[in-house]
């Protein structure tokens, strides 16, 4: 199949030769044809040498490369191959553990496709038991959504040694496509089949993903490993889970034997979801858990010193883009400084940033500055990142968005 051709300026092919999957608009010298946003295009260097194929877009990232093989056709077979490779990786890491006899720690939720990390820029696919939730972050992936859904059903229907088959594919992109016009055009809903939201297993604990109204695809899968690490620190501690959202860290802390867990969020809906998850795992009357609906900054400012000896800070992205970076860093410094000042001696702080615009170094500097201003001795116990089902393409370091530290406060 012949695609419109994009010709690059001299030397602008160097990043593509290093397999970076983005072509910026300023690198394009000319275009043969009139590609629309989302169309497949062929990219050529200044001498006319074909470099590969990708999705065209009208923004600053003009092409997201799908293949560096100029001979490869982007069709359903292409998506089946990429999805099959992604599934094999997750299975080889032991992530897929169905609920069955002898399995003491089932896990039925995981990310199948993480954009550039799995060679499919602009695409996210999360698996919740028998439901796949597809999320497009580019017009190209939006246009390919039905082909992707059909490829998913084929892969999960033929790879039965790895995982149970899918029953449905849900599309959820009304808030993730890059422009308002695109988002208005997108319509969330089932592409194939239909399922009702039910609980899924994560490391032997139960959670209910809300792919219809919830944030992201319905659950924050990316904190699974970090929630699991919390099990080593929570026993017999008084825990504050700030910005708790659906209460994932709270459930893990309770399961590991925390003395008490306070879940804090400014959203009443978030507190409802947290209470649902606590009840699902520990019954409706869990005396060790308390819900607090309040702004996290205000609560930490007002709370008594030494009330907690383990504090989790997992705020929403303070910076969606670099333009608001300064304000984001101020926010990270302030919330961490409050935690350091108030936590009991010998306390543990789990602190995170999910802002892609904030680098690992910038986040660490903000936390270090907060520690210095609190006049407490602070040591790093762990440096955290996203789990194996959120892989980072080594040629695309921008894919590392989740940063975290586990700190000991004397």
């Amino acid at each position: 199949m012949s695609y419109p051709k994009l010709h690059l300026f001299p030397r602008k092919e160097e990043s593509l030769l290093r397999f970076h999957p983005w072509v910026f608009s300023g690198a394009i010298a000319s275009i043969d044809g009139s590609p629309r946003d989302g169309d497949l295009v062929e990219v050529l260097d200044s001498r006319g040498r074909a470099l590969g194929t990708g999705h065209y877009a009208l923004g600053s990232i003009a092409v997201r490369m799908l293949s560096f093989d100029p001979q490869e056709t982007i069709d359903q077979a292409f998506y089946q191959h990429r999805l099959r490779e992604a599934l094999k990786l997750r299975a080889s890491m032991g992530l897929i553990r169905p609920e069955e006899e002898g399995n003491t720690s089932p896990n039925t939720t995981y990310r199948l496709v993480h954009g550039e990390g799995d060679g499919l820029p602009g695409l996210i696919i999360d698996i919740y038991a028998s439901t796949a939730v597809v999320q497009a972050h580019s017009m190209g992936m939006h246009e390919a959504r039905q082909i992707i859904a059909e490829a998913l059903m084929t892969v999960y229907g033929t790879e039965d040694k790895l995982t149970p088959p899918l029953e449905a594919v849900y599309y959820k992109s009304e808030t993730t496509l890059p422009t308002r016009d695109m988002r208005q055009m997108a319509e969330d809903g089932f592409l194939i089949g239909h399922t009702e939201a039910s609980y899924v297993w994560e490391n032997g604990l139960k959670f209910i993903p809300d792919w219809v109204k919830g944030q992201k695809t319905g659950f924050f899968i990316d904190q699974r490993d970090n929630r699991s690490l919390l099990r080593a620190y929570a026993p017999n501690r008084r825990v504050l889970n700030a910005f708790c959202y659906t209460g994932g860290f709270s459930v893990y802390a309770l399961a590991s034997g925390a003395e008490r867990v306070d879940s804090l969020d400014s959203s009443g809906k978030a507190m409802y979801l947290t209470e649902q998850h606590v009840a699902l795992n520990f019954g409706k009357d869990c005396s060790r858990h308390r819900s607090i609906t309040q702004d996290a900054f205000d609560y930490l400012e007002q709370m008594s010193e030494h009330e907690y000896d383990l504090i989790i800070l997992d705020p929403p992205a303070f910076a969606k883009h670099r333009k608001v970076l300064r304000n984001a860093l101020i926010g990270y410094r302030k919330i961490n400084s409050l935690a350091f000042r108030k936590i009991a001696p010998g306390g543990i702080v789990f602190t995170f940033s999910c802002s892609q615009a904030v680098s690992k170094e910038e986040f660490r500097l903000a936390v270090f500055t907060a520690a210095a201003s609190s006049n407490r001795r602070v040591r790093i116990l762990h440096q955290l990142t996203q789990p194996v089902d959120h892989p980072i393409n080594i040629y695309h370091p921008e894919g590392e968005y989740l940063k975290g530290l586990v700190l000991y406060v004397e």
Side-chain angles (χ1 to χ4, degrees):
M1 182 180 291
S2 178
Y3 304 124
K5 293 178 170 54
L6 273 64
H7 300 266
L8 303 182
F9 285 112
R11 301 184 63 84
K12 292 299 183 179
E13 76 279 4
E14 292 178 356
S15 63
L16 292 182
L17 295 176
R18 296 193 297 270
F19 304 112
H20 192 285
W22 293 350
V23 177
F24 290 96
S25 57
I28 300 172
S30 64
I31 303 176
D32 296 341
S34 302
R36 297 174 303 135
D37 202 327
D39 282 353
L40 290 165
V41 293
E42 187 177 0
V43 180
L44 295 82
D45 68 11
S46 60
R47 294 171 292 175
R49 179 177 53 170
L51 301 173
T53 306
H55 282 141
Y56 179 69
L58 297 176
S60 61
I61 302 173
V63 184
R64 289 173 169 83
M65 299 296 291
L66 296 171
S67 175
F68 293 96
D69 178 0
Q71 305 302 315
E72 188 165 26
T73 301
I74 309 302
D75 54 11
Q76 188 167 323
F78 165 84
Y79 285 108
Q80 284 180 21
H81 173 71
R82 291 288 169 92
L83 294 174
R84 190 171 288 115
E85 290 301 307
L87 180 57
K88 287 179 180 177
L89 172 62
R90 276 70 180 174
S92 70
M93 294 294 103
L95 281 179
I96 306 169
R97 304 189 300 272
E99 182 181 3
E100 58 189 15
E101 188 176 352
N103 192 346
T104 58
S105 183
N107 194 83
T108 59
T109 178
Y110 55 93
R111 175 154 293 183
L112 176 68
V113 172
H114 185 62
E116 287 84 354
D118 287 293
L120 292 168
L123 180 65
I124 298 295
I125 303 177
D126 287 340
I127 304 297
Y128 298 112
S130 62
T131 304
V133 180
V134 174
Q135 193 168 78
H137 290 253
S138 71
M139 192 62 183
M141 288 303 181
H142 171 73
E143 295 285 356
R145 63 195 182 281
Q146 194 64 44
I147 294 174
I148 292 167
E150 292 167 5
L152 272 167
M153 298 302 288
T154 299
V155 168
Y156 275 77
T158 58
E159 303 290 341
D160 55 0
K161 293 182 180 179
L162 298 179
T163 181
L166 288 176
E167 295 180 20
V169 179
Y170 187 83
Y171 185 64
K172 184 179 172 66
S173 301
E174 286 182 357
T175 62
T176 60
L177 288 167
T179 69
R180 181 180 298 175
D181 289 344
M182 292 180 195
R183 292 192 290 271
Q184 289 176 342
M185 183 173 54
E187 185 175 344
D188 290 353
F190 284 97
L191 298 173
I192 296 176
H194 188 279
T195 50
E196 298 293 336
S198 182
Y199 72 81
V200 296
W201 292 98
E202 184 184 88
N203 291 329
L205 297 169
K206 296 177 183 178
F207 298 95
I208 304 172
D210 182 0
W211 52 72
V212 176
K213 296 180 181 179
Q215 295 182 33
K216 294 193 175 181
T217 64
F219 188 60
F220 285 18
I221 301 173
D222 55 3
Q223 288 284 24
R224 180 187 57 250
D225 289 359
N226 301 326
R227 287 191 283 260
S228 189
L229 177 63
L230 182 70
R231 286 170 159 165
Y233 293 96
N236 303 315
R237 289 185 182 268
R238 298 162 295 157
V239 178
L240 173 66
N241 181 16
F243 310 97
C244 68
Y245 186 44
T246 59
F249 281 104
S250 300
V251 170
Y252 274 76
L254 290 165
S256 65
E259 179 182 315
R260 93 169 200 258
V261 177
D262 288 351
S263 299
L264 169 67
D265 203 285
S266 62
S267 165
K269 180 182 177 182
M271 296 316 310
Y272 170 75
L273 294 170
T274 294
E275 289 166 0
Q276 269 194 313
H277 288 150
V278 171
L280 187 63
N281 288 276
F282 309 104
K284 290 184 178 180
D285 300 313
C286 181
S287 60
R288 293 182 295 132
H289 181 258
R290 180 174 63 144
S291 297
I292 304 169
T293 306
Q294 189 177 342
D295 177 81
F297 287 91
D298 291 344
Y299 182 81
L300 267 75
E301 189 80 61
Q302 298 162 10
M303 76 183 191
S304 303
E305 290 187 0
H306 306 169
E307 185 171 348
Y308 301 99
D309 38 30
L310 196 159
I311 297 175
I312 302 143
L313 303 174
D314 185 22
F318 284 164
K320 298 287 187 182
H321 46 78
R322 297 289 294 183
K323 292 180 182 178
V324 294
L325 177 62
R326 181 176 178 275
N327 288 340
L329 295 175
I330 291 172
Y332 288 123
R333 287 197 295 270
K334 182 177 179 181
I335 198 70
N336 281 279
S337 179
L338 287 169
F340 293 144
R341 292 205 326 259
K342 296 295 184 73
I343 198 166
I348 301 291
V349 175
F350 278 61
T351 184
F352 298 96
S353 166
C354 64
S355 300
Q356 192 163 13
V358 177
S359 71
K360 186 190 305 182
E361 292 74 21
E362 288 164 335
F363 175 64
R364 181 180 289 194
L365 180 59
V367 175
F368 288 2
T369 304
S373 69
S374 70
N375 203 29
R376 302 281 295 271
R377 285 192 64 190
V378 179
R379 284 181 273 178
I380 297 174
L381 303 182
H382 300 274
Q383 302 178 60
L384 307 177
T385 186
Q386 56 222 57
V388 295
D389 53 347
H390 293 60
I392 302 160
N393 182 340
I394 199 168
Y395 308 110
H396 180 255
E398 297 93 332
E400 184 177 6
Y401 71 95
L402 182 60
K403 286 82 60 176
L405 297 168
V406 179
L407 305 160
Y408 178 80
V409 185
E410 291 190 8

